[in-house]
Amino acid sequence: MLRASSILLLASALPLAASGQASPATTVRTRTAAVVAGRLTDARTGEPLPGANVVFPDLKQGTATDADGRYSFANLPRGRFLVQVTSLGYNTISQTVDTGSGQPLDLQLSPAATEIGQVVVTGVSQATELRRSPVPTTVVDRTRLNQNSATNVVDAIAHTPGISQITTGAAISKPVVRGLGYNRVVTLNNGARQEGQQWGDEHGIELDEFSIDRAEIIKGPGSLLYGSDAMAGVINFLAPDPVAEGRIIGQAAANYQTNNRQQGYSLMNAGNINGLNWLVRGTRKVAGDYRNRYDGRVFNSGFNEWDANGYVGLNKSWGYSHLTFSTFNQNVGLIEGGRDSLTGRFLRDVAVGGQVESAVVGDNGAGYTLQVPRQRINHLRVGVDNSFIIGQKGGRLALQVNYQQNLRREFGNALAPETPDLYFQLRTVDYALRYFLPEFSGWNLAVGTSGLHQQNRNLGAEFLIPAYNLSEGGVFGVVKKSFGGLDLSGGLRYDVRRIRAQSLYLDADEQPVPAGTAGAETKFPGFTSNFNNYSGSLGAAYNLSDRLTVKANISRGFRAPNIAELGSNGVHEGTIRYEVGQPGLKAETSLQLDAGVSYTSEHVRFSVDAFENSISNYIFARRVLNAAGTDSLVSTGPDIGLFNYVQGQARLLGGEVTLDFHPHPLDWLHFENSFSMVRARQLGVAEDQQFLPFIPADRLQSELRGNFRRQGKRLTNVYARFQLEQTFAQNRFYAAFDTETATPAYTLFNAGAGTDVADGKGKTLFSVYVTANNLFDVGYQSHLSRLKYADINYTTGRRGVFNMGRTVSVKVVVPLAFK
């Protein structure tokens, strides 16, 4: 803890030290600020565009145009930086400008029904226009997030083409990118790694859903800035950009969902006074048990959480320095799915006379109370995010340092419901130091290092993984060069990881004892594992015209086994299995090929993205059978199945196709379609082992949408949508050892509508969004649901717990302006 505090204090003091130096030749404070001003107009009519957003993403500075379409920045660093201009219903403009030129920056935006010109900041040497990046990347913006209903932050993006989720009820979702998940996906919180217990099936992402402004998703190992685990890709959850100079704003949001009676409330305040900017948000969510047509109310599927997050810092001509914080506090019921053989109702553990007995659950329709088993997660993050301008040409030195503490308690004993059985304390210090050289003749180069130090302790009465210490670090270099319509990018990274797992010995009462104690059982033998390897990427994007772009990329990824794969030995609550790790596992390496083509016009957007990914030493869990060919059961109260981790050679291929059509002259009408597929095989094995576990089924999504910019004087940005979501049968499953079963197809219909409500002067008073998911209350199971393998309901013959039925969501967002 002392080391983490010292690092954070040093990093946060850097801008103060820089601004306090005596020599004018070296002080950052004397840097001459650049002024950029201009006017935005409609390219067709010449009318001003009020309320448009003008943002310099790399500088974290933004503003909005006034009633005459004018804007200005008075305190920008000098150099060449990318600026992004957005306005709802218009093409996005993205271009690199010289902030020190002194020339006005007047721009014209063309009305458009399709999204053109989106900018990404994740995994690139500088903010880059999306269509000019060879690495497959998708952006989910705030508008899309508001118009869809979700129970958690991963659920909010899980319907993006190529993205799925492994779920354990409504609260717990883990992202899957093109068939790969768990520690193969790096999750970022505003560009910094989020480190919880990612190895666990029932361990979700510790982020406040309301705090997300947009999500940038990199598919595949093409990003080299974030470490070895980014084999499947990177998901960067980004907060809103700092507000304009001289403004203080706020926001109140509320959401209610009918199925599980989920309530969400969030308050935000942000401001920027003389370069001192801040954002603070508080969120409360609570949900009861969800229901579906086959299970009724699913016992113990509720959750609740308290969250707070934000930042405070300076944005000046020398760059910016922000102190960031977040705290995520969640209680989640864990669904076991045990059934009464006569009635088919769920069972729960109750304490009777000092003994634990099973009782049939009655009508649990109205409450929010959680029962055992359940888990409590407390995730604290404190960090600094700095970017310093080096030299007069706009080079940048970026430094991020974060301290994280993840406390995860799992309660499973009805006799002592407040005493944790499993209790993990994970402490992490992560860092990233990157130098972005000034652009020169179209060249962009970034070099740097990143890594982390991690300590995990077992503080509970039961043990699943050993206590361990982990250290890793890596160095990288990435480069991008533009030759007119051709953009080339590539880079290399080298990583080293060391994991030291501690030994643990238990006596007859399962209490820890010193090594060598007579009669002691070895729970964890202790081991040290070292891994090192390189990653690389090389790709090109070629704009054949303003409308047609082709892309190709080849990348190599690397992932070291996680602690659960190497050393687990115990009951994993929520997954309904006993897990055993293998200390001798090798690191995974992958080689992925990507190719894509996209065509975008005023009325049509079409894209095809394809990939092939070959993985050596692919790690997965499989069920262990006994000599009779049935489950190897472990008696832990109820008997549960035994699973261990194995490796194989894997090949995944597939892709995504999207087609959005906006027929002229009905520009308000949108017909949006996408298709995603993954084929995943294990090579050189028997037929029943040829398919990999937990691979998403093919998915087709079609949406008919109407967007209406203004309806009368009071309603603006009105929309209505109707969506079909067809998930095909998954008959390619890992059948060996009864690990998986086939999953039938299902079809869901969703709908939504919403509007901004304005006053007589056009100022938005509030926005309302109504969404209905699973309109016809279809009973279905996702192939990636952990609950699919819960107990059989003998009264219906159906195995497992089904997904959520029909739900209607109402969301209201109220913008506030204090200055």
Side-chain angles (χ1 to χ4, degrees):
M1 183 71 179
L2 180 61
R3 178 188 297 177
S5 302
S6 301
I7 293 174
L8 290 173
L9 182 62
L10 176 61
S12 60
L14 285 176
L16 299 178
S19 62
Q21 294 175 10
S23 170
T26 58
T27 181
V28 178
R29 184 174 53 191
T30 60
R31 176 184 297 277
T32 303
V35 177
V36 174
R39 188 168 185 257
L40 301 183
T41 56
D42 187 304
R44 291 181 180 176
T45 66
E47 295 180 353
L49 292 178
N53 295 310
V54 184
V55 178
F56 287 86
D58 288 330
L59 304 178
K60 291 193 176 180
Q61 293 208 41
T63 189
T65 55
D66 62 18
D68 192 39
R70 298 188 182 277
Y71 69 94
S72 65
F73 295 88
N75 204 20
L76 289 176
R78 292 179 176 270
R80 291 178 56 79
F81 303 100
L82 185 134
V83 63
Q84 179 185 19
V85 182
T86 59
S87 182
L88 192 63
Y90 289 84
N91 281 342
T92 297
I93 291 181
S94 305
Q95 66 182 59
T96 301
V97 300
D98 185 352
T99 58
S101 68
Q103 299 298 314
L105 187 60
D106 296 333
L107 299 170
Q108 294 182 327
L109 274 65
S110 300
T114 56
E115 296 177 358
I116 302 174
Q118 284 184 311
V119 169
V120 293
V121 298
T122 307
V124 291
S125 57
Q126 67 166 13
T128 301
E129 190 176 353
L130 182 61
R131 70 190 188 114
R132 302 184 74 99
S133 174
V135 179
T137 306
T138 300
V139 178
V140 183
D141 61 19
R142 181 71 258 175
T143 300
R144 182 67 68 172
L145 293 173
N146 278 333
Q147 293 180 5
N148 288 275
S149 172
T151 57
N152 60 71
V153 68
V154 174
D155 187 38
I157 65 169
H159 300 277
T160 306
I163 310 301
S164 306
Q165 58 180 332
I166 293 176
T167 61
T168 309
I172 303 171
S173 297
K174 302 183 72 66
V176 175
V177 180
R178 289 178 164 178
L180 299 176
Y182 297 91
N183 285 76
R184 301 179 184 94
V185 178
V186 168
T187 303
L188 304 178
N189 183 350
N190 280 313
R193 286 180 62 153
Q194 182 78 4
E195 286 293 324
Q197 306 278 0
Q198 295 100 315
W199 48 267
D201 292 283
E202 79 287 9
H203 302 165
I205 305 299
E206 305 89 351
L207 287 175
D208 175 9
E209 176 190 352
F210 284 91
S211 71
I212 307 305
D213 181 68
R214 69 186 187 279
E216 297 183 357
I217 305 167
I218 296 177
K219 303 172 186 176
S223 173
L224 305 175
L225 274 64
Y226 305 109
S228 63
D229 285 348
M231 173 180 284
V234 176
I235 300 177
N236 191 6
F237 293 102
L238 294 158
D241 294 312
V243 300
E245 170 65 40
R247 297 193 64 198
I248 300 176
I249 65 170
Q251 184 189 84
N255 175 233
Y256 181 77
Q257 299 180 30
T258 59
N259 185 290
N260 59 349
R261 307 174 310 285
Q262 179 172 322
Q263 304 173 51
Y265 308 95
S266 189
L267 290 173
M268 182 273 286
N269 174 255
N272 187 345
I273 304 298
N274 296 323
L276 173 65
N277 51 88
W278 71 88
L279 182 149
V280 60
R281 179 183 293 274
T283 296
R284 170 64 169 165
K285 289 172 68 175
V286 59
D289 293 342
Y290 78 84
R291 62 161 297 279
N292 61 64
R293 69 189 310 168
Y294 293 135
D295 300 311
R297 291 283 173 193
V298 176
F299 173 68
N300 211 30
S301 59
F303 63 94
N304 60 76
E305 67 183 66
W306 286 97
D307 308 322
N309 48 79
Y311 66 85
V312 61
L314 293 173
N315 281 54
K316 296 290 186 178
S317 60
W318 46 259
Y320 64 82
S321 180
H322 294 168
L323 175 67
T324 65
F325 75 94
S326 68
T327 175
F328 177 93
N329 307 280
Q330 186 182 59
N331 295 284
V332 184
L334 296 176
I335 306 164
E336 290 190 313
R339 307 273 188 170
D340 177 59
S341 59
L342 297 178
T343 65
R345 287 182 175 269
F346 290 106
L347 296 175
R348 58 170 294 193
D349 288 344
V350 295
V352 179
Q355 301 293 323
V356 177
E357 297 184 4
S358 293
V360 176
V361 176
D363 184 12
N364 187 40
Y368 290 94
T369 303
L370 303 180
Q371 307 294 336
V372 294
R374 70 182 193 279
Q375 62 177 335
R376 179 186 303 158
I377 305 100
N378 303 100
H379 191 99
L380 172 67
R381 169 196 285 273
V382 180
V384 288
D385 182 9
N386 302 302
S387 179
F388 307 115
I389 304 301
I390 306 297
Q392 296 297 319
K393 295 185 178 180
R396 290 190 303 120
L397 181 67
L399 172 65
Q400 287 182 320
V401 182
N402 296 277
Y403 169 76
Q404 301 178 65
Q405 176 173 266
N406 185 281
L407 302 178
R408 187 175 299 271
R409 305 171 181 90
E410 297 188 0
F411 305 86
N413 187 352
L415 297 176
E418 298 302 322
T419 301
D421 296 327
L422 289 173
Y423 187 173
F424 304 120
Q425 181 194 63
L426 178 66
R427 291 174 171 174
T428 304
V429 175
D430 62 274
Y431 63 89
L433 180 65
R434 301 162 184 148
Y435 179 52
F436 301 88
L437 279 72
E439 181 191 2
F440 177 75
S441 299
W443 288 92
N444 294 104
L445 174 65
V447 295
T449 179
S450 64
L452 58 84
H453 300 281
Q454 199 168 77
Q455 179 194 64
N456 191 81
R457 299 171 61 197
N458 287 318
L459 304 179
E462 297 180 0
F463 310 94
L464 171 60
I465 61 172
Y468 69 91
N469 293 281
L470 182 151
S471 296
E472 73 170 32
V475 294
F476 67 87
V478 294
V479 63
K480 179 176 178 291
K481 168 64 175 173
S482 296
F483 301 90
L486 175 65
D487 294 273
L488 300 177
S489 66
L492 286 172
R493 181 183 179 100
Y494 186 79
D495 284 281
V496 176
R497 173 178 290 186
R498 178 185 177 90
I499 303 176
R500 185 174 64 85
Q502 300 177 17
S503 58
L504 178 65
Y505 303 93
L506 303 178
D507 62 17
D509 296 323
E510 296 190 346
Q511 297 299 310
V513 294
T517 301
E521 171 197 357
T522 301
K523 181 67 173 180
F524 303 117
F527 60 86
T528 298
S529 297
N530 296 290
F531 304 95
N532 56 85
N533 217 309
Y534 70 92
S535 307
S537 178
L538 179 64
Y542 184 49
N543 295 302
L544 296 169
S545 68
D546 290 339
R547 297 181 175 183
L548 183 61
T549 302
V550 294
K551 299 181 179 183
N553 196 79
I554 181 171
S555 51
R556 185 186 193 273
F558 153 65
R559 183 185 78 89
N562 63 44
I563 187 62
E565 294 164 341
L566 292 169
S568 58
N569 182 20
V571 179
H572 198 170
E573 294 285 357
T575 67
I576 323 172
R577 65 193 195 189
Y578 191 105
E579 297 179 354
V580 177
Q582 304 291 338
L585 293 175
K586 299 178 181 179
E588 295 179 341
T589 58
S590 69
L591 183 66
Q592 179 163 318
L593 303 175
D594 290 279
V597 58
S598 63
Y599 175 83
T600 305
S601 69
E602 187 175 358
H603 300 286
V604 176
R605 183 177 61 189
F606 174 72
S607 68
V608 178
D609 292 293
F611 74 93
E612 180 183 23
N613 192 2
S614 298
I615 304 177
S616 298
N617 305 315
Y618 181 84
I619 303 170
F620 61 98
R622 74 177 184 191
R623 188 184 296 269
V624 178
L625 299 184
N626 59 27
T630 59
D631 267 349
S632 292
L633 298 179
V634 180
S635 181
T636 60
D639 291 341
I640 61 175
L642 176 65
F643 285 73
N644 68 356
Y645 288 95
V646 296
Q647 294 191 282
Q649 303 297 111
R651 178 177 296 158
L652 296 89
L653 55 87
E656 304 85 40
V657 179
T658 63
L659 173 62
D660 300 343
F661 181 56
H662 315 277
H664 185 72
L666 304 178
D667 293 342
W668 55 269
L669 183 63
H670 300 243
F671 185 42
E672 303 176 354
N673 305 270
S674 69
F675 178 74
S676 307
M677 62 164 284
V678 178
R679 298 289 182 267
R681 291 180 178 271
Q682 188 178 187
L683 306 180
V685 295
E687 183 177 351
D688 62 349
Q689 302 180 46
Q690 64 176 317
F691 300 116
L692 297 179
F694 279 98
I695 299 300
D698 298 347
R699 185 177 65 197
L700 171 68
Q701 297 177 103
S702 293
E703 179 175 293
L704 194 64
R705 169 191 294 269
N707 286 342
F708 311 93
R709 296 192 62 192
R710 182 173 291 277
Q711 297 295 304
K713 295 182 178 180
R714 299 287 184 174
L715 302 182
T716 62
N717 302 320
V718 180
Y719 76 92
R721 52 182 283 267
F722 184 78
Q723 183 190 60
L724 177 150
E725 183 176 343
Q726 172 66 46
T727 301
F728 294 88
Q730 181 56 291
N731 295 316
R732 302 174 181 87
F733 57 93
Y734 189 77
F737 315 105
D738 292 331
T739 300
E740 279 193 318
T741 59
T743 304
Y746 54 90
T747 304
L748 306 180
F749 291 91
N750 311 311
T755 184
D756 297 337
V757 179
D759 61 15
K761 298 180 180 180
K763 178 183 176 182
T764 299
L765 298 176
F766 64 90
S767 303
V768 60
Y769 308 91
V770 180
T771 305
N773 288 343
N774 194 0
L775 275 170
F776 300 109
D777 200 27
V778 174
Y780 72 99
Q781 289 178 320
S782 166
H783 188 69
L784 301 188
S785 171
R786 296 290 321 166
L787 303 179
K788 181 172 178 278
Y789 300 99
D791 286 355
I792 295 175
N793 182 343
Y794 287 101
T795 62
T796 65
R798 298 184 178 94
R799 182 182 180 184
V801 177
F802 282 69
N803 288 67
M804 185 180 289
R806 180 194 301 115
T807 187
V808 178
S809 167
V810 179
K811 182 186 298 183
V812 178
V813 179
V814 181
L816 306 171
F818 302 103
K819 183 178 179 181

